[in-house]
């Protein structure tokens, strides 16, 4: 962590709301997949299937939690340091061997870990402005204010849940509501 602080255009209260929304929206997406075989059905949206797109969200949640907490995740470190593949190639690789149940569990586990971090570990607005150092997927040294990193990952999840909704629509299934206003208990 760099000692330099940077302005973050968000509040802890807003990020806690976004963390809760992220968890609830991921649960809604999981419930909307009618059967495991539908999760692997090829679609021309996102990462090619609901399973692959869900894996990407789960991996990115874990990757960014590692970045904003200043590292120490053995799985992330292993992928960075012990593979001949570029990290970009790992961002959508199959973390669960095509098992929708495992993917669903990983998606919830990682979004809950982010929610727990924001609600229990980020103790002050000042922590949101602390600058975190990390390696980008191409190995370059980067920095980001913690709050901005959190805003990024919640927005990232929203982008890919929209792709999953589009995939469900493409396959002819009903899509779940993802608008924040549909979730009880999400108020500022």
């Amino acid at each position: 962590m760099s000692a330099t602080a940077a302005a973050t255009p968000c509040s802890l209260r807003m990020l806690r709301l976004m963390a809760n929304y992220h968890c609830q929206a991921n649960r809604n997406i999981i419930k909307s997949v009618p059967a495991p075989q539908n999760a692997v059905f090829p679609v021309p949206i996102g990462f090619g299937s609901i399973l692959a797109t869900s894996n990407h969200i789960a991996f990115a949640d874990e990757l960014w939690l590692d970045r904003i907490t200043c590292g120490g995740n053995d799985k992330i470190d292993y992928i960075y340091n012990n593979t001949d593949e570029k990290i970009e190639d790992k961002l959508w690789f199959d973390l669960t061997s095509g098992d929708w149940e495992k993917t669903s569990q990983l998606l919830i586990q990682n979004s809950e870990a982010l929610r727990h971090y924001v609600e229990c570990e980020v103790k002050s607005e000042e922590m949101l402005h602390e600058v975190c150092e990390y390696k980008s997927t191409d190995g370059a040294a980067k920095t980001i204010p913690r709050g901005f990193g959190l805003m990024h990952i919640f927005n990232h999840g929203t982008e890919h849940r929209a792709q999953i909704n589009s995939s469900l629509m493409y396959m002819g299934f009903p899509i779940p509501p993802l608008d924040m206003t549909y979730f009880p208990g999400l108020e500022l």
Side-chain angles (χ1 to χ4, degrees):
M1 173 112 39
S2 170
T4 307
T8 300
C10 61
S11 69
L12 185 52
R13 188 173 174 192
M14 178 59 83
L15 286 171
R16 287 179 175 158
L17 173 89
M18 293 303 298
N20 282 308
Y21 167 74
H22 187 64
C23 290
Q24 289 185 35
N26 281 341
R27 281 191 170 83
N28 252 24
I29 283 292
I30 289 166
K31 286 190 287 188
S32 69
V33 177
Q37 65 269 23
N38 299 121
V40 296
F41 185 82
V43 293
I45 302 161
F47 289 92
S49 73
I50 291 171
L51 179 101
T53 304
S54 298
N55 268 319
H56 175 75
I57 297 168
F59 183 77
D61 280 1
E62 189 171 352
L63 174 70
W64 276 94
L65 183 59
D66 186 64
R67 287 174 172 174
I68 61 174
T69 58
C70 303
N73 182 315
D74 292 336
K75 181 165 69 171
I76 302 296
D77 290 342
Y78 177 82
I79 290 169
Y80 269 116
N81 299 319
N82 297 307
T83 183
D84 292 331
E85 297 177 59
K86 295 185 303 187
I87 190 69
E88 292 96 340
D89 297 332
K90 291 292 191 182
L91 290 178
W92 52 83
F93 78 119
D94 188 358
L95 299 170
T96 61
S97 303
D99 185 324
W100 175 244
E101 184 64 32
K102 286 181 183 175
T103 296
S104 299
Q105 291 170 0
L106 188 63
L107 187 58
I108 295 303
Q109 172 189 319
N110 290 353
S111 61
E112 284 292 339
L114 274 167
R115 184 198 57 75
H116 179 269
Y117 176 74
V118 172
E119 289 187 356
C120 301
E121 305 295 325
V122 180
K123 307 261 188 218
S124 68
E125 298 281 334
E126 290 75 30
M127 285 184 72
L128 298 177
H129 305 296
E130 292 174 349
V131 176
C132 301
E133 298 171 356
Y134 69 95
K135 281 196 267 185
S136 67
T137 56
D138 65 3
K142 300 276 188 174
T143 61
I144 192 167
R146 179 176 285 117
F148 192 74
L150 286 164
M151 285 174 38
H152 166 72
I153 195 58
F154 298 139
N155 184 63
H156 175 265
T158 299
E159 171 192 359
H160 292 301
R161 284 188 296 272
Q163 291 174 335
I164 292 171
N165 258 9
S166 295
S167 297
L168 288 165
M169 192 179 334
Y170 175 83
M171 292 187 286
F173 296 117
I175 58 171
L178 293 178
D179 288 345
M180 200 177 281
T181 57
Y182 285 97
F183 295 97
L186 290 182
E187 299 116 16
L188 276 177

